[in-house]
Amino acid sequence: MSTLITKVRQKQLSQLIEKGKRIDGRGLTDFREFKIEEGLIERAEGSARLLLGKTDVLVGVKIETGEPFPDTPNEGVLTVNAELVPLASASFEPGPPDESSIELARIVDRGIRESKAIDNEKLCIEAGKKVFVVFVDVYVLNHDGNLIDASALAAVAALINTKMPNYEIKDGEVIIKQGYTPLPLKSRPITITVGKLGDKLLLDAGLEEEQVMDARISLAINEEGNICAVQKGGSGYFTPQQIIEASKLAQEKAVELRKKLKW
Amino acid sequence: MSTLITKVRQKQLSQLIEKGKRIDGRGLTDFREFKIEEGLIERAEGSARLLLGKTDVLVGVKIETGEPFPDTPNEGVLTVNAELVPLASASFEPGPPDESSIELARIVDRGIRESKAIDNEKLCIEAGKKVFVVFVDVYVLNHDGNLIDASALAAVAALINTKMPNYEIKDGEVIIKQGYTPLPLKSRPITITVGKLGDKLLLDAGLEEEQVMDARISLAINEEGNICAVQKGGSGYFTPQQIIEASKLAQEKAVELRKKLKW
Amino acid sequence: MSTLITKVRQKQLSQLIEKGKRIDGRGLTDFREFKIEEGLIERAEGSARLLLGKTDVLVGVKIETGEPFPDTPNEGVLTVNAELVPLASASFEPGPPDESSIELARIVDRGIRESKAIDNEKLCIEAGKKVFVVFVDVYVLNHDGNLIDASALAAVAALINTKMPNYEIKDGEVIIKQGYTPLPLKSRPITITVGKLGDKLLLDAGLEEEQVMDARISLAINEEGNICAVQKGGSGYFTPQQIIEASKLAQEKAVELRKKLKW
Amino acid sequence: MIDKQEKLIDKKGIRLDGRKADELRPLKLEVGVLPNADGSAYIEHGKNKILVGVFGPREMHPKHLSRPDRMVLRCRYHMAPFSVQERKSPAPSRREVELSKVIREALEPALFLEMYPRTGIDIFVEILQADGGTRCASITAAALALADSGIPMRDLVVACAAGKVDDTVVLDLYDAEDKLGVADVPVAYMPNLNAVTLLQMDGILTHAEFEKAVNMAIDGCKKIYALQKEALKTKYMHIKEETQEEVEE
Amino acid sequence: MIDKQEKLIDKKGIRLDGRKADELRPLKLEVGVLPNADGSAYIEHGKNKILVGVFGPREMHPKHLSRPDRMVLRCRYHMAPFSVQERKSPAPSRREVELSKVIREALEPALFLEMYPRTGIDIFVEILQADGGTRCASITAAALALADSGIPMRDLVVACAAGKVDDTVVLDLYDAEDKLGVADVPVAYMPNLNAVTLLQMDGILTHAEFEKAVNMAIDGCKKIYALQKEALKTKYMHIKEETQEEVEE
Amino acid sequence: MIDKQEKLIDKKGIRLDGRKADELRPLKLEVGVLPNADGSAYIEHGKNKILVGVFGPREMHPKHLSRPDRMVLRCRYHMAPFSVQERKSPAPSRREVELSKVIREALEPALFLEMYPRTGIDIFVEILQADGGTRCASITAAALALADSGIPMRDLVVACAAGKVDDTVVLDLYDAEDKLGVADVPVAYMPNLNAVTLLQMDGILTHAEFEKAVNMAIDGCKKIYALQKEALKTKYMHIKEETQEEVEE
């Protein structure tokens, strides 16, 4: 893979982090600049594009009607899919989703699902028969590290931006009416990924930093500061103390981002 | 691929064509001898086998009932599939359709569809619920060049030969009755592919000639001499003048073939 | 494949068999010790694990409701699947079923289906609309030869062990009630595979013996001693005399096993 | 649904298609029908219409499938979508995968695989129309296609089924007998070696019936074997004539 | 269902979106938009929004696809699931496979493939939003992305469709005209070589209408060609400015 | 549908299956259960029944996946079709792909990957019956299977979940608690290194609850760790006895 960096560069990055510094001058818990553009895809029911440094993620939301799951007959259905689009990195290849894109989709999915972000019961059209299905498609357009936080943020921004078609039921048929209603949301979770290198924790790792990190832990945090979903990744480990520390760090950063985002 | 020819042979073929001649003695716009055998597959609702020189294409048509597309609730459905059967050439491999067979199927499909060859509304059984589905399966049995024209011709011949089951509707169920009706056709398009080498145009290229051609353009022509579908293929180009020339050539040849075929 | 044995070992095995002897001391028509454990998988409607020497096969049976086939509207549906689980042998690879596992599944399937082991009409809930579907999943956990006989035996043992949910139909809906009924069985076929090496026939070949055998023939035998399904396998051949001999051998061994099993 | 009580054989022992119990369906065999293949054959066996093309011995692709000590034979049995009553998806079914395997194993005993190490032969069987007994007709045609390709063979392989219909053991079941009959026993056979290379059975038979069916199928094979040799001769005579013509010109 | 009788062009010759018959939709072209790609471009053509990234020339993967005498161009045309009215499955459709092929063949004549033997170039086209004419806009953007990657080109390739709507031949059909119109003729063109590198047609046209449509499309291409060159200039000026700034610092 | 209001813990703090909040389900661990695998283990954890086989270190297949500087660990977590209430298709689901990844990453810290360059180890996890907490039980068994294979390890990895049911943080959720509870926190741990190698969470917890759950899960891990060592000892004693018997013979 052409995105691998040299051993020398790895050493340089590691030594900086061990001193509490970073290659781009940020502090260990600083995020890169980010910008959210909403509604770029007029044809989708919702969309948002997030630039986090040079990481670029576009999320489109489509709403269609479909059948509910048998065990939740009066709830809408959420489906999250992630594409590591091959133009985003020389290391991404076209083809069916691999384990990285599946993990990414499932982390984004759990952040939304476990925080009960969508008011699923309001998506029910006819219990057991017809509900709205919300398709969240995460489209990574440029990979410069921290795809998890960028994708999760962009997905929630797209949901906030999503409009639902109005409808009425006539003779058992769903008739789509003029006009839209916002998608009913109950929560706006923010996912923060904490990287670990030796005894240091850091936030918003860039692409090169990700290659020297031992491991990462991602936490979805809701408005109350509660934890809604967690995922450890990477081939290294955390001590129990580091996990508690990481959890606090994520909660603080979520508060900070929430203010910036006015979420 | 074992069907690739040598550079020497390529040069020989090219030089001939540049002089307006061909390796098998034909003129540039001459077709090879062809023969159509209809009804070979009694089990299919329609079938035809076309021999064009040594190119050998068998088309089978099956008719089944199915659902219409939501945007055309009172029209039948046409599905065209092409198989480059591996016994037809050492260069064909078993497996799911590749881009060549998909392009072939889509050119044949468009020739039929855009010329409105099939009277689709007569294939509707119950609007929005049940229609006839026409499966056209193109089966290439020997590849000796010009698969597009051979497949398109064989497909239309098979449709002409196709019989539709009689039916009646009893208590909302479709009951297949005895006897058959011919498939309702409104047009019999003929597809002509024009090859280009330098400033020369030629028709019905053989397998070896296809390997020296710059590009090809295929035109489906209906009874009125109108153009119903066009596809340029190959890694070379045409000048705008050559395209107009090719279009006229195709129209003339279609008239000629139409007479021979009594279509 | 790491399970291939050396030429020297092959020669040794062959010479023994030609003398009517076997590497583990068995006679040519002796089976290895076997043990059946039933009901291991409480969550499945039926299950059985068979140890035949070191060959280890687990079969689970699931029963669900589904649609009947159009040509048998008042019969339940049987679906047999076999997995050569990769932990069973260094030569098994994860992935979709290959020709070996498909052949294994189809031999097991035919033994059950052709002997009419399951009373299919009793699995009909509502003719043409809803029937019970019996999924038989053969799971090979350790491969030490004779997977066919082991899988077929384990499958029938699992079916004997299978309980069907009670149900009633209320307003056209199937309501699952408390309690279970045994799956209605009409026959308990036993499949015996006869190996051939030169002019010798042998039963229950071990993994190494299978690699020196010319060919095999598997016969499913019912309670009446009739033959219900046959499959020759392997790249060698049988003489017609050997086939008749093999058929008798299988029938005798089936009687013997039937006694041991109390089937 | 067809009434299973209906008789498939009348009181005079005549089957629904007019044949006697031990009578073959009409056969037509042609050799060398595909210009691009190294060997080919076409068979009409009853209403079965089957085309077989052989490529090789040639380099294996992908390479890692080749064997240092022998040739690898590959076989694909494939049904055209329009070959059966209800359109078949072109993707290979489990049935097609199994039949590809047993057909390959029926042909392997005829070849000297160790003579062509590191190479492969591909046999492509295309069922253009199916009418019961396609696997047998495929083997009969594939053996001809192999012979046509010029590869040395121990013998031709020829195949035919017998089975039980109503109460009678009969030869060469066609589609309706296959579906409504009691049992079907396809057999492939090499007459010169007295070798059975394919044997399957669906249905229920006593040992005696099974033995009778196997023997009847082998008799059928022997008759078709004569037609195979005829077809090869026709091809060779054809070639001889062409060569003579060329000489005379 | 939309009433097909509805007029798409009014009595004054104005189309439903306000354009005249020979008027292009608004276009926006940007070059060098993807940091990780070797070349990239973004196009908005009407409401089409398309991103193209180019990687290479680089070693082919898998290797056996490389050619000893030339570079291999690969192209993937892919629609984002949210780019169309009804969500599209991410798996490639037959339409996407075909368009990938014709787009590749439209671009190949612009490249000196024999200059880079044993290598490959990958062009990834992502339709973020579709509004009719995506294949043309994809080619226009892909040519820019190739130029941005620095690979030598004979000329830019530029594409535009013409077609017939109601009774009129018009330029650059948008979604509704594409669906309800009579015919659509997408054309790709290299102005300096007077070379048509893509040509397709759906619908029914007389020879005269076809000729008119092809010529109108080529005229449209020439206009977009000017915008392509503009976009490249903007990129180079941008780079020049950046370099100057660095020098001044 | 099950009534979500139903209490899963009674007033005395006893759970529906009779356990106290911090009580593990019954466990049974066996080592060396598969004759053909290089290492293997079987676990019953509650009603979970899981078999793990390890093959390697061995040559990687396909070769291009191997690494010049280290061993590659591959892991497949797979559910038998009959392991769950509704039959599971044998094709790998997205959930299985994700769990394969996190289980692999939970085991990697225990191995000296750099010691075996260019080789690969395959871990095959088969869920024969699922009852909540399969990923934890899989890790516990996989670590034993690795140890059984004889590969050097930094420590065993052991896994256990804690979670929140009704208002209480409890250890080792079973199926019903997993589905109806508030949160589930699976943890994998290497006791000698004090290293958490897997951590996931579904549900909603306060920071304090999360901390409590993590610590309770680690305590659970430590208890299971003792059982793991016991199981290995049993295996070794078994081997020792066998060896002695052989000597005595």
Side-chain angles (χ1 to χ4, degrees), chain B residues 43-45 61-65 135 137, chain C residues 69-71, chain D residues 79-90 130 175 179:
Chain B
R43 193 136 296 181
E45 276 72 31
V61 178
K62 296 294 294 179
I63 298 199
E64 300 185 354
T65 57
F135 290 97
D137 279 287
Chain C
F69 287 112
D71 52 344
Chain D
M79 304 191 91
F82 44 76
S83 63
V84 279
Q85 200 54 44
E86 198 172 334
R87 179 179 183 269
K88 200 210 143 282
S89 153
D175 199 41
K179 282 182 183 134

Side-chain angles (χ1 to χ4, degrees), chain B residues 66-100:
Chain B
E67 277 183 45
F69 286 112
D71 52 344
T72 51
N74 48 7
E75 295 185 15
V77 171
L78 169 70
T79 297
V80 178
N81 182 58
E83 296 271 317
L84 301 178
V85 184
L87 49 69
S89 163
S91 67
F92 294 168
E93 288 186 23
D98 65 358
E99 66 169 30
S100 298

Side-chain angles (χ1 to χ4, degrees), chain F residues 3-17:
Chain F
D3 183 0
K4 292 204 178 184
Q5 307 307 317
E6 199 184 326
K7 283 281 174 201
L8 295 166
I9 303 183
D10 72 11
K11 287 170 189 171
K12 291 179 186 165
I14 301 302
R15 295 147 79 178
L16 285 185
D17 63 352

Side-chain angles (χ1 to χ4, degrees), chain B residues 106 228 231-232 235 238 247, chain E residues 98 108 196-197 200 203 207:
Chain B
R106 287 180 61 85
C228 318
Q231 180 94 339
K232 178 255 172 184
S235 303
F238 285 82
S247 158
Chain E
E98 186 204 354
E108 278 180 336
V196 174
T197 64
Q200 295 185 293
H207 181 79

Side-chain angles (χ1 to χ4, degrees), chain A residues 7 71-73 80-82 97-100 102-103 105-106 110 114-116 216-217 219 222 225-241 243-244 247-248 251, chain F residues 1 4 67 69 86 93-102 104-106 108-109 113 135 182 189-190 193-207 210-211 214-215 218:
Chain A
K7 297 260 175 198
D71 53 343
T72 52
V80 179
N81 182 57
D98 65 358
E99 68 169 28
S100 298
I102 288 174
E103 190 192 24
R106 287 180 61 86
R110 277 205 290 267
E114 299 300 332
S115 67
K116 303 182 197 312
R216 59 169 158 76
I217 183 171
L219 300 101
N222 69 7
N226 292 332
I227 305 166
C228 318
V230 176
Q231 179 95 340
K232 179 256 172 183
S235 303
Y237 62 86
F238 286 81
T239 63
Q241 295 70 26
I243 283 167
I244 303 310
S247 157
K248 281 184 190 149
Q251 284 169 309
Chain F
M1 224 190 23
K4 292 204 178 184
R67 294 292 191 82
D69 57 342
E86 198 172 336
S93 66
R94 289 158 58 100
R95 179 181 168 275
E96 284 170 295
V97 172
E98 186 204 354
L99 291 195
S100 296
K101 181 177 189 289
V102 297
R104 186 188 72 224
E105 292 174 342
E108 278 181 335
L113 298 176
R135 82 195 67 185
V182 178
Y189 185 65
M190 293 195 292
L193 282 83
N194 192 32
V196 174
T197 65
L198 172 135
L199 178 64
Q200 295 185 294
M201 194 200 102
D202 281 356
I204 300 187
L205 292 181
T206 65
H207 180 80
F210 176 65
E211 189 168 347
V214 170
N215 287 328
I218 288 174

